[in-house]
Amino acid sequence: MPTAPYVTRFAPSPTGALHLGNARTAFFNDLAARASGGRMVLRIEDTDAERSEDALLVKLLEDLRWLGLEWAEGPDVGGAHGPYRQSERGAHYARAIESLEAQGRVYPCFCSPEELKLSRKAQLAAGRPPRYAGTCATLPAAEVARRVEAGAKPALRFRVPPGRVIEFDDLIHGPQRFASDDIGDFVIRRADGSVAFFLGNAVDDAEMGITLVLRGDDHLANTPRQIMLLEALAMPVPRYGHLPLLLGHGGSPLSKREGAASLGDLRAQGYLPGALRNYLVRL
Ligand code: GLU
């Protein structure tokens, strides 16, 4: 278990009911905070306006409380690092993006989803790992201005520095090394103006003073991107630990969309919160 007083966080997206996999991640963050004499922050990642629902947020808070978890800061309890809903943090992301723009670390990308799909297919067919081909990386400023004037709405991509090795010591997996040359320039702001996961998540961790991020293994490959962003922004990089995902009977990770039992279902079936906690911590 951790030794430093860790500030941890649970950062769910309110797009479905909590299942045991999400609950386990939340529980480990709660335990790491308590065991180290630190605290947990609850942050709501609701930038996907189409899929996020307020009713789901209310249910999510209720389920977490029922499970017995506690957070020192969050949308319902407030705190010094709010707001705690990403949909209300646009000004924070705009500041970060301005700083990246001033350093020339980002560029507008006009590629359509169809073009990106074709490029991906071509790379896979050639036996190469798919990543952004850099089509818009060197567009002259005049051409960018012309397209914007013509009404095009570009996304914004982070210019991944070539030839770098990004290293971090994962609390669960141990030392990790990623070559920046394997990582394509990635989107930090979508064409519709909304902030993309990589940026919002990393900036919030830094600005909320998070020192330990415990999250699912599905985010391990995102970590080098987030470290590069935080370094470019001269923001602190938290410690990361990636937990194995819980699998369903079919062998694929539990997911709300695949109909995994929600905490609410288990509660209705009569499971006690203490029994679930005991089960989750022993898996
Ligand atoms: N909103 C993200 C998710 O639910 C958070 C990932 C993270 O914990 O960094 O997967």
Side-chain angles (χ1 to χ4, degrees):
M1 272 321 270
T3 49
Y6 281 120
V7 183
T8 66
R9 51 54 158 192
F10 179 51
S13 306
T15 55
L18 282 182
H19 55 63
L20 284 176
N22 319 124
R24 179 165 171 263
T25 300
F27 187 35
F28 272 83
N29 277 290
D30 181 61
L31 285 177
R34 288 187 205 219
S36 67
R39 60 181 204 280
M40 179 165 90
V41 174
L42 179 66
R43 177 173 77 237
I44 304 302
E45 304 213 321
D46 57 352
T47 55
D48 184 344
E50 262 170 40
R51 290 179 49 221
S52 301
E53 283 178 37
D54 276 2
L56 286 171
L57 171 58
V58 171
K59 186 81 185 61
L60 196 145
L61 297 176
E62 194 188 305
D63 284 348
L64 290 173
R65 284 241 154 72
W66 173 75
L67 193 61
L69 305 196
E70 278 171 22
W71 45 98
E73 299 175 38
D76 53 340
V77 293
H81 305 89
Y84 294 94
R85 295 178 67 160
Q86 289 194 323
S87 56
E88 296 169 5
R89 297 182 62 80
H92 296 254
Y93 309 138
R95 265 202 302 278
I97 287 173
E98 242 171 61
S99 155
L100 294 172
E101 274 172 337
Q103 300 176 57
R105 304 292 303 264
V106 291
Y107 61 86
C109 170
F110 298 89
C111 295
S112 67
E114 293 72 34
E115 286 168 322
L116 294 172
K117 211 161 139 193
L118 275 180
S119 153
R120 200 183 147 81
K121 258 194 181 164
Q123 293 182 61
L124 283 172
R128 279 180 285 138
R131 57 172 176 260
Y132 182 60
T135 319
C136 295
T138 51
L139 280 184
E143 176 59 16
V144 169
R146 193 190 64 77
R147 294 191 192 189
V148 170
E149 249 160 59
K153 298 255 179 295
L156 202 61
R157 281 185 192 270
F158 181 71
R159 213 182 272 283
V160 171
R164 279 220 24 220
V165 175
I166 300 106
E167 292 182 272
F168 61 96
D169 190 15
D170 190 278
L171 193 65
I172 293 157
H173 293 268
Q176 302 293 307
R177 270 172 79 90
F178 290 84
S180 70
D181 290 340
D182 291 337
I183 300 174
D185 295 346
F186 54 89
V187 171
I188 60 163
R189 188 177 63 204
R190 302 184 192 101
D192 66 6
S194 62
V195 69
F197 167 76
F198 295 123
L199 186 94
N201 183 274
V203 165
D204 285 349
D205 284 342
E207 292 192 349
M208 292 179 178
I210 306 302
T211 58
L212 175 64
V213 168
L214 290 178
R215 59 183 179 181
D217 265 350
D218 49 336
H219 289 289
L220 183 61
N222 295 334
T223 300
R225 293 176 176 82
Q226 300 194 298
I227 291 176
M228 285 191 282
L229 274 177
L230 290 171
E231 287 178 354
L233 290 164
M235 286 180 167
V237 177
R239 182 89 198 263
Y240 292 93
H242 292 86
L243 297 158
L245 298 180
L246 296 193
L247 306 182
H249 289 302
S252 50
L254 289 187
S255 105
K256 309 173 217 184
R257 282 190 236 184
E258 304 289 323
S262 67
L263 282 194
D265 296 338
L266 296 168
R267 179 180 180 177
Q269 286 168 32
Y271 285 91
L272 297 175
L276 285 186
R277 286 200 303 271
N278 186 52
Y279 173 73
L280 287 174
V281 82
R282 284 162 182 275
L283 275 175

